[in-house]
């Protein structure tokens, strides 16, 4: 009987498991900001990845929500978010939201050309990143950045198992460039 009580107490002391891995990374105040600033759009759910991909994510031990990244993008010591949001009509937007003491501000808002099922976000550490073709052909596309030296975390967005675009907040402006495929 004593062992059963101890086990019951341990189970009761466990934090509740969120119903959805993506929802667990989106604080209520951020959900309100998205609803206010982007009417008709809603945060992603893990199920947007599809059953096969959810199974693959679990089997590989990957990040459980491929549509939300948390990191300190602006260097203020709080976790900001990058996420793909969806409309009921199927449109997708890539947004980055800065957290200033739980006051959320959308600082990046781009139409996204892919469906959620074929997209993913990944966290990126601060550092030096070079554009793919700048490594092989330094004079290619001179009108675009060839590298980013980032002091804070950022994120990469792209197609699953495909080319990625890295985003870093540098001097209060989002900088981006294409990096090699993973």
């Amino acid at each position: 009987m004593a062992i059963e009580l101890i086990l019951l107490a341990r189970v009761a002391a466990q934090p509740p498991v969120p119903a959805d891995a993506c929802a667990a990374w989106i604080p209520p105040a951020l959900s309100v900001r998205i609803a206010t600033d982007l009417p008709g759009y809603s945060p992603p759910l893990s199920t947007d990845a599809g059953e096969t991909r959810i199974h693959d994510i679990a089997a590989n031990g990957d990040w459980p929500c491929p549509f939300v990244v948390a990191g300190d993008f602006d260097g203020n010591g709080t976790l900001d978010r990058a996420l793909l949001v969806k409309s009921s009509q199927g449109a997708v937007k890539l947004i980055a939201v800065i957290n200033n003491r739980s006051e959320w501000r959308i600082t990046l808002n781009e139409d996204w050309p892919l469906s959620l099922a074929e997209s993913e976000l990944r966290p990126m550490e601060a550092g030096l990143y070079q554009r793919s073709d700048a490594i092989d052909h330094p004079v290619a596309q001179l009108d675009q950045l060839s590298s980013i030296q980032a002091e804070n975390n950022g994120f990469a967005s792209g197609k699953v198992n495909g080319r990625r675009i890295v985003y870093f907040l540098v001097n209060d402006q989002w900088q981006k460039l294409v990096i090699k495929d993973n």
Side-chain angles (χ1 to χ4, degrees):
M1 179 74 163
I3 292 174
E4 291 171 347
L5 287 175
I6 290 171
L7 290 175
L8 183 60
R10 283 187 182 168
V11 169
Q14 295 294 322
V17 176
D20 184 89
C22 292
W25 285 97
I26 303 171
L30 176 52
S31 291
V32 169
R33 173 59 52 209
I34 292 167
T36 302
D37 290 1
L38 300 169
Y41 283 84
S42 61
L45 299 172
S46 298
T47 54
D48 292 323
E51 281 187 43
T52 302
R53 189 159 166 219
I54 290 171
H55 175 72
D56 291 346
I57 287 169
N60 296 329
D62 288 338
W63 184 251
C65 179
F67 312 121
V68 179
V69 169
D72 186 5
F73 304 147
D74 60 353
N76 71 353
T78 60
L79 288 178
D80 307 308
R81 303 291 191 282
L83 60 153
L84 294 167
V85 294
K86 60 186 180 175
S87 76
S88 58
Q89 291 78 31
V92 178
K93 287 185 176 281
L94 170 65
I95 64 171
V97 192
I98 300 301
N99 177 6
N100 187 7
R101 296 185 191 117
S102 296
E103 288 189 27
W104 298 90
R105 182 173 47 95
I106 297 175
T107 58
L108 176 74
N109 179 352
E110 294 184 353
D111 291 332
W112 189 245
L114 304 172
S115 70
L116 279 178
E118 58 186 341
S119 302
E120 70 180 350
L121 300 181
R122 292 182 178 235
M124 301 298 288
E125 294 183 10
L128 175 64
Y129 293 86
Q130 288 188 299
R131 193 179 72 226
S132 309
D133 60 350
I135 295 168
D136 300 329
H137 308 286
V139 295
Q141 299 188 15
L142 293 174
D143 61 329
Q144 296 180 6
L145 289 176
S146 61
S147 66
I148 295 176
Q149 177 66 53
E151 302 294 323
N152 299 307
N153 296 331
F155 62 95
S157 62
K159 187 171 184 175
V160 176
N161 299 320
R163 180 166 287 198
R164 303 205 188 298
I165 301 172
V166 294
Y167 291 78
F168 289 96
L169 192 59
V170 178
N171 297 324
D172 293 323
Q173 296 291 317
W174 284 102
Q175 304 290 318
K176 65 180 180 178
L177 62 106
V178 176
I179 59 174
K180 286 191 179 260
D181 299 352
N182 285 354

